[in-house]
Amino acid sequence: MAETLPFRNNVPIEETWDVTDLFSSDDAFYNTLNDTLEQAKAFNQQYAEQLIEVNIVEDALDAYSELLIQLDRMANYAELRLSVDTANEHAQTLSAKLSTSYGKIASELSFVVSEILELSDQTLEQLIQTSKYPHFLTKLKANKAHQLTPEVEKVLASLSPTFESAFELYGTTKMLDIEFEPFEYNQQTYPLDYATFENEYEDNPNEAFRRISFKHFSNALSKYQHTTAATYNMQVQQEKIEADLRGYDSVIDYLLQEQEVTRDMFNRQIDVIMSDLAPIMQKYAKLVKRVHGLDVMHFEDLKVSIDPNYEPEISIEDSKQYIYGALNVLGEDYLEMVEAAYKERWIDFAQNKGKETGAYCASPYASHSYVFISWTGKMTETFVLAHELGHAGHFTLAQAHQNYLESEASMYFVEAPSTMNEMLMANYLFKNSNDAKFKRWVTGSIISRTYYHNMVTHLLEAAFQREVYNKVDQGESLTAPVLNDIMLDVYSQFFGDSVKLTEGTELTWMRQPHYYMGLYSYTYSAGLTIGTVMSQRIQNEGQPAVDAWLDTLKAGGSKSPVDLAEIAGIDIRTEQPLKSTIGYIGKLVDELETLTEELENK
């Protein structure tokens, strides 16, 4: 029998994160939750119906920020506790308690935005000119036409936990209810769950093993497709109701408003990649097929490495030299943050039962960032770690230079610092070896991990999502067969006849939590576009480009994504950065082909 994952309490403590910087204990969390609810009520009594003068509004925003920082701190603690061990009853209870109280606190605070937007245009403009929160207020002003009455806004705020319930239900189904049966291969039994499939089996070099593990994984998902579809339908119908209430023409316009992004920018990101990147990735798929001697390139073969026999292994300790080496270019202060992440246990490396899949970085304003990853010892995880530390570096700098309300960049921009770090890792690895096999591994990793993951997997999610919202805007409901058809159609458009879409491909929509986070998926490709262009600037121009990038990160959420990119010297109002990035991917695929032929002819 293959080895199963340990329980959380059996993993080495040095591989886990230390959440006591947020709260020393669950009791401390509950005490803060109670205190914050009381403070929110007192805040409401002090300021409600008083926000009529500029100086009073400014004082109220200061107090409002402090309350939001506490809410942010508690929300992050609850997520950190639960995501590493979803079966932990104490973590489940804590998360549920926060969810119940969150709406009460939010309803006490909802008057702030309502009253600010009831100010005259002249007073609001004066406030923007004098306040320490100018961009926050500018965004509020842009929402003015879609603001509802204070009473309705208060009701919506109190219902916020209900609006989150679809996401919570999705997570419960995915991590706790779906039953994966062990499977047999070559007279050996292999355990199966989300973590083992996505971290170990999906890119297994053995074709027959990949096929059978994908089949069993898909069979398990298929039994829950109708429940998951109903859950997702609940999410998008809620969004549709609010979009209609606020007078938006479509759900997409409603979701883009907060990002400060035009519909044209959103559509361009999807359409240009679907048309221009698709032929390049089809060429890549055919190269993988040839190298692996596959009769047919199946969907489940897309994650296999170009040279799985050359996958270098790496320990957590040894990862430091690569991370430090790659990110050193960003300067001493940045590197100190990275060193602190290792030394002070900001990172959860452990693999254990009940831990969620994927990787993320949480950055509570009250303390420091936390990085979630499951370390399997594959060298490609240096890219994942560099990515998440890119988020940490961004938020560390933004929070040091901006107040809470101006610290968080638009979702459109938020993946740029993380994907930029992946490019710095690639540049560092290229620079430090002339070995053809190693160069091919690095090139293959950038294509399969950085670009495939961010500009194909997530972009196809975005194309799927756009079609979903088009149907919802037309009054349609979503069922599993409808979602399956949309997913298959998107993959068919992108890969054409270069990839056979095995039964189970259509269920890919069930695997991603991004659909419950607004229009998040497309922003990976938007961020990677900025990150690619910026990494090339740093490579070509050196310190001036680094300084421009650090200034961009320090700006946090004090500017729109267009203005942030402008600080970095990139104009995202045009398609040029995206076309340039796609051209770079094309060169990488050509280089991979050349290196492969060179090695085959030796």
Side-chain angles (χ1 to χ4, degrees):
M1 175 106 175
E3 194 176 324
T4 57
L5 294 174
F7 288 103
R8 181 69 179 178
N9 56 6
N10 291 328
V11 299
I13 193 167
E14 63 271 14
E15 292 184 11
T16 66
W17 52 30
D18 178 9
V19 295
T20 58
D21 284 346
L22 276 175
F23 289 99
S24 57
S25 65
D26 286 357
D27 285 343
F29 167 91
Y30 287 120
N31 289 336
T32 301
L33 184 58
N34 293 332
D35 289 347
T36 305
L37 182 54
E38 292 309 309
Q39 288 164 13
K41 289 175 181 174
F43 172 80
N44 185 293
Q45 287 175 351
Q46 182 177 356
Y47 287 107
E49 299 179 11
Q50 303 299 314
L51 303 187
I52 48 177
E53 294 177 15
V54 167
N55 61 327
I56 297 173
V57 175
E58 190 74 0
D59 289 344
L61 285 175
D62 291 342
Y64 178 65
S65 296
E66 290 305 313
L67 287 164
L68 291 181
I69 288 169
Q70 290 306 320
L71 264 181
D72 174 62
R73 178 183 169 209
M74 291 184 289
N76 276 286
Y77 182 77
E79 172 63 17
L80 295 175
R81 288 273 282 110
L82 190 60
S83 64
V84 293
D85 190 0
T86 53
N88 184 299
E89 288 183 22
H90 295 296
Q92 290 173 358
T93 302
L94 187 142
S95 180
K97 177 67 175 171
L98 174 67
S99 183
T100 305
S101 303
Y102 192 97
K104 295 175 185 173
I105 295 169
S107 68
E108 296 288 350
L109 305 181
S110 69
F111 75 91
V112 174
V113 170
S114 294
E115 290 191 23
I116 288 173
L117 291 181
E118 286 179 336
L119 296 170
S120 69
D121 288 349
Q122 185 181 356
T123 305
L124 186 52
E125 197 52 48
Q126 184 189 349
L127 184 60
I128 290 170
Q129 296 302 322
T130 58
S131 175
K132 64 173 82 75
Y133 310 104
H135 193 64
F136 169 76
L137 291 164
T138 300
K139 285 198 297 180
L140 283 191
K141 187 181 176 185
N143 275 328
K144 193 167 186 176
H146 302 286
Q147 185 73 2
L148 303 171
T149 65
E151 295 76 18
V152 175
E153 292 291 352
K154 185 170 184 177
V155 170
L156 287 175
S158 67
L159 286 170
S160 54
T162 307
F163 298 148
E164 294 292 320
S165 60
F167 185 30
E168 290 169 11
L169 181 56
Y170 166 77
T172 301
T173 306
K174 177 179 175 178
M175 297 308 300
L176 297 177
D177 280 354
I178 295 183
E179 225 173 289
F180 294 96
E181 297 291 335
F183 63 92
E184 298 279 334
Y185 176 73
N186 247 0
Q187 299 180 319
Q188 190 171 355
T189 303
Y190 290 85
L192 181 65
D193 57 22
Y194 258 100
T196 52
F197 179 75
E198 293 191 347
N199 294 337
E200 296 176 42
Y201 301 164
E202 193 172 26
D203 62 355
N204 190 288
N206 184 308
E207 178 187 352
F209 182 85
R210 275 198 312 280
R211 301 258 195 277
I212 195 168
S213 64
F214 179 74
K215 184 174 186 295
H216 282 83
F217 179 73
S218 300
N219 286 346
L221 290 189
S222 69
K223 294 171 187 171
Y224 294 82
Q225 61 182 303
H226 300 292
T227 300
T228 308
T231 304
Y232 182 37
N233 188 56
M234 186 196 314
Q235 172 75 23
V236 296
Q237 298 301 341
Q238 283 175 181
E239 290 166 337
K240 172 62 176 168
I241 289 167
E242 186 160 356
D244 286 348
L245 274 176
R246 295 189 179 282
Y248 285 95
D249 291 337
S250 74
V251 186
I252 291 173
D253 291 333
Y254 160 60
L255 294 173
L256 286 177
Q257 175 81 39
E258 177 63 24
Q259 295 182 18
E260 301 177 271
V261 170
T262 65
R263 185 75 171 263
D264 284 347
M265 288 169 71
F266 169 72
N267 284 331
R268 182 180 68 218
Q269 204 66 29
I270 297 172
D271 294 337
V272 172
I273 290 176
M274 289 294 283
S275 63
D276 291 19
L277 184 60
I280 293 169
M281 295 313 293
Q282 288 171 22
K283 182 179 178 180
Y284 168 71
K286 286 170 182 171
L287 178 61
V288 172
K289 175 188 170 189
R290 179 172 71 73
V291 168
H292 285 275
L294 302 174
D295 292 332
V296 178
M297 181 75 177
H298 287 77
F299 173 77
E300 62 269 33
D301 300 323
L302 284 166
K303 294 289 179 75
V304 70
S305 167
I306 195 79
D307 187 1
N309 298 322
Y310 190 79
E311 175 76 57
E313 296 215 344
I314 188 169
S315 66
I316 292 169
E317 184 61 32
D318 289 344
S319 71
K320 292 177 184 176
Q321 71 178 85
Y322 291 96
I323 294 290
Y324 295 166
L327 304 185
N328 182 51
V329 67
L330 295 175
E332 282 182 28
D333 291 347
Y334 196 99
L335 216 53
E336 277 179 21
M337 180 279 300
V338 175
E339 288 173 348
Y342 277 102
K343 287 177 185 169
E344 297 169 18
R345 288 175 49 214
W346 298 8
I347 309 170
D348 201 89
F349 292 100
Q351 285 198 85
N352 58 262
K353 280 182 184 294
K355 186 173 181 178
E356 288 181 353
T357 58
Y360 70 78
C361 176
S363 297
Y365 195 92
S367 62
H368 56 71
S369 292
Y370 288 88
V371 170
F372 176 101
I373 187 173
S374 294
W375 194 264
T376 62
K378 294 174 181 174
M379 181 74 175
T380 46
E381 276 161 14
T382 57
F383 285 96
V384 184
L385 192 50
H387 176 108
E388 300 307 337
L389 288 169
H391 288 305
H394 183 198
F395 284 103
T396 298
L397 287 168
Q399 291 172 3
H401 290 86
Q402 304 296 335
N403 60 62
Y404 178 77
L405 293 177
E406 304 253 310
S407 65
E408 191 164 337
S410 160
M411 193 186 281
Y412 183 91
F413 184 84
V414 84
E415 290 298 337
S418 52
T419 51
M420 215 283 283
N421 276 15
E422 292 191 52
M423 300 314 300
L424 293 181
M425 176 60 70
N427 293 344
Y428 173 76
L429 293 174
F430 277 136
K431 200 164 62 180
N432 284 276
S433 178
N434 288 317
D435 178 65
K437 285 200 84 166
F438 185 74
K439 283 183 81 171
R440 181 169 78 153
W441 174 81
V442 174
T443 308
S445 294
I446 304 167
I447 296 167
S448 65
R449 217 227 73 81
T450 303
Y451 285 110
Y452 184 88
H453 188 66
N454 295 306
M455 291 193 84
V456 179
T457 300
H458 291 323
L459 194 281
L460 295 184
E461 290 171 13
F464 166 86
Q465 225 179 355
R466 182 170 65 175
E467 187 55 32
V468 163
Y469 285 125
N470 286 340
K471 286 187 179 298
V472 170
D473 278 332
Q474 290 159 16
E476 295 183 35
S477 284
L478 305 171
T479 60
V482 170
L483 295 170
N484 292 345
D485 285 348
I486 298 172
M487 190 94 265
L488 268 184
D489 184 53
V490 166
Y491 270 99
S492 298
Q493 284 180 51
F494 192 83
F495 283 109
D497 60 3
S498 65
V499 176
K500 179 178 169 58
L501 301 179
T502 319
E503 188 177 349
T505 305
E506 73 282 0
L507 301 173
T508 306
W509 62 269
M510 292 180 66
R511 295 169 58 178
Q512 287 292 358
H514 294 134
Y515 304 130
Y516 299 83
M517 302 174 187
L519 294 173
Y520 187 16
S521 296
Y522 89 101
T523 66
Y524 281 88
S525 64
L528 186 49
T529 299
I530 296 168
T532 300
V533 175
M534 197 66 224
S535 67
Q536 290 170 347
R537 274 199 65 200
I538 289 173
Q539 205 170 18
N540 297 330
E541 300 169 32
Q543 197 58 45
V546 171
D547 293 342
W549 185 239
L550 293 175
D551 286 343
T552 307
L553 300 184
K554 289 171 187 174
S558 66
K559 296 185 181 300
S560 72
V562 168
D563 291 338
L564 285 173
E566 193 175 348
I567 298 172
I570 301 165
D571 186 358
I572 56 172
R573 292 167 301 183
T574 73
E575 64 178 21
Q576 197 277 326
L578 179 55
K579 292 271 192 181
S580 169
T581 298
I582 291 172
Y584 175 68
I585 302 169
K587 286 179 190 167
L588 285 175
V589 172
D590 290 344
E591 176 138 350
L592 191 64
E593 199 167 46
T594 302
L595 286 166
T596 298
E597 286 167 5
E598 184 184 316
L599 288 165
E600 285 174 348
N601 293 331
K602 272 191 175 180

